[in-house]
Amino acid sequence: ATPLFLVAFRNYVIKTGKIFLIEEYRKLFSKILDFYEKNKNEEGFIKSEKYSTWMDTLEREGYCLEVQAFWYFGLKCLSELLEIINDEKYKKAEEYAKTLKRNIVKKFKKDDYFVDVLGKEEITLNQIFLPLMNVIPLTKRFVVYIEKEFETDFGLSTLPIKSKEYDPEEYHKGATWSHLLALFSYLQFKTGRVEKGLKSLEKIYNKINYFVLSSIPEVWNSYNGSILVKKPHGIEESAFFQLWGASSVIKAIDEGIL
């Protein structure tokens, strides 16, 4: 949440022009930079404990891919904000961001894809956060690769369909998340794959009104579209309405198509 706050703050300042807010939050920005310095390893990576990433039902411990991507872009945003108010710490934030970006590509990349957790072989859909957070350039080749490995008739699996761990109704091991599918449609639009992007949005549209009028559910089965998903304590219905899923659709349309 901390690096994503920096991204949101920077976007808010750009949209509103309220530069005076940067000075008001200067102490908080310093705290964030101190926090990063204290918790990063020598390569700039931030470690996550079990059940502490957005995949919060998994014992996903270590240096996780999307967490590093969030910190890279968060540090870039922090550097921009501090430079505006002539705070010399912007140079430090910029240097940290450069180091982190270089090491993400160097350490996580394997052939044409990126591993999900450093030191492990598993790959996941979290790779899409790399171009979204400007860690790697967005290419058509990358988007086609994701389509080939993760796309289903009903969505976009969190794990590759060929993975031994893949289960289309498992919460974080194969189900489709509305926010990831919407964000991927944004990448499809940005690489000129308009028809594919529209198809991705159509898969989300098919879920609108499933529970509640004009609502987009959190997650569903990647194989048959059912909103019953497996969690550690059993099978339950997906959340009726998911804010990040809805907001990602808006991003895909406003920034991707339009």
Side-chain angles (χ1 to χ4, degrees):
T2 301
L4 292 176
F5 167 76
L6 295 171
V7 176
F9 191 100
R10 174 249 195 192
N11 289 346
Y12 181 77
V13 169
I14 289 175
K15 292 287 186 181
T16 64
K18 296 180 179 179
I19 296 176
F20 67 88
L21 288 175
I22 305 175
E23 187 63 52
E24 290 186 15
Y25 280 78
R26 185 199 289 258
K27 289 184 179 180
L28 178 59
F29 293 150
S30 291
K31 279 187 177 182
I32 291 174
L33 194 58
D34 290 343
F35 172 85
Y36 177 75
E37 288 178 326
K38 180 180 178 181
N39 289 279
K40 71 179 182 66
N41 69 0
E42 59 185 18
E43 294 165 319
F45 299 146
I46 294 291
K47 186 177 181 180
S48 298
E49 302 301 325
K50 295 178 181 179
Y51 310 111
S52 68
T53 69
W54 80 271
M55 291 179 151
D56 56 2
T57 64
L58 302 182
E59 292 186 15
R60 190 168 172 256
E61 185 178 22
Y63 301 108
C64 303
L65 183 61
E66 84 285 359
V67 175
Q68 316 315 320
F70 295 158
W71 271 107
Y72 163 71
F73 197 49
L75 288 167
K76 285 287 292 182
C77 292
L78 178 59
S79 179
E80 286 182 28
L81 293 167
L82 293 177
E83 187 174 12
I84 289 173
I85 59 174
N86 296 315
D87 188 320
E88 286 298 307
K89 289 183 179 179
Y90 86 87
K91 296 177 182 178
K92 183 183 288 188
E94 175 66 22
E95 193 58 39
Y96 283 150
K98 286 181 180 178
T99 299
L100 185 51
K101 179 179 181 177
R102 181 173 64 249
N103 285 328
I104 291 173
V105 176
K106 181 180 179 181
K107 297 291 184 176
F108 282 83
K109 196 172 191 301
K110 183 177 180 180
D111 299 326
D112 289 332
Y113 58 83
F114 293 79
V115 296
D116 189 59
V117 180
L118 195 62
K120 299 183 180 180
E121 296 295 311
E122 187 176 60
I123 63 174
T124 71
L125 192 56
N126 285 318
Q127 294 176 81
I128 68 170
F129 288 110
L130 297 179
L132 285 166
M133 296 290 152
N134 295 334
V135 177
I136 63 173
L138 174 59
T139 64
K140 183 177 179 180
R141 181 181 178 184
F142 176 85
V143 171
V144 171
Y145 159 75
I146 296 294
E147 291 171 351
K148 179 181 177 182
E149 298 293 327
F150 296 87
E151 199 171 52
T152 74
D153 290 340
F154 287 87
L156 203 63
S157 169
T158 42
L159 289 186
I161 300 168
K162 297 177 182 178
S163 170
K164 294 179 181 179
E165 296 287 318
Y166 170 67
D167 182 341
E169 65 176 342
E170 185 82 30
Y171 200 50
H172 287 305
K173 290 189 175 183
T176 289
W177 285 73
S178 55
H179 83 286
L180 293 179
L181 181 54
L183 289 174
F184 185 62
S185 73
Y186 166 82
L187 297 181
Q188 289 173 313
F189 292 130
K190 284 295 186 180
T191 50
R193 297 180 68 74
V194 177
E195 291 301 319
K196 293 289 289 185
L198 290 172
K199 190 69 176 177
S200 294
L201 287 184
E202 183 181 11
K203 293 173 183 178
I204 297 174
Y205 177 76
N206 289 338
K207 290 298 170 195
I208 292 178
N209 303 331
Y210 203 104
F211 293 116
V212 181
L213 288 175
S214 302
S215 73
I216 296 176
E218 171 192 34
V219 61
W220 56 84
N221 187 311
S222 294
Y223 176 72
N224 59 22
S226 169
I227 44 71
L228 295 174
V229 293
K230 291 180 184 176
K231 292 188 179 182
H233 49 272
I235 295 178
E236 65 179 59
E237 289 183 328
S238 168
F240 289 1
F241 185 83
Q242 191 77 5
L243 178 58
W244 56 1
S247 61
S248 297
V249 169
I250 295 171
K251 177 182 177 66
I253 295 171
D254 285 357
E255 300 178 26
I257 301 177
L258 304 181

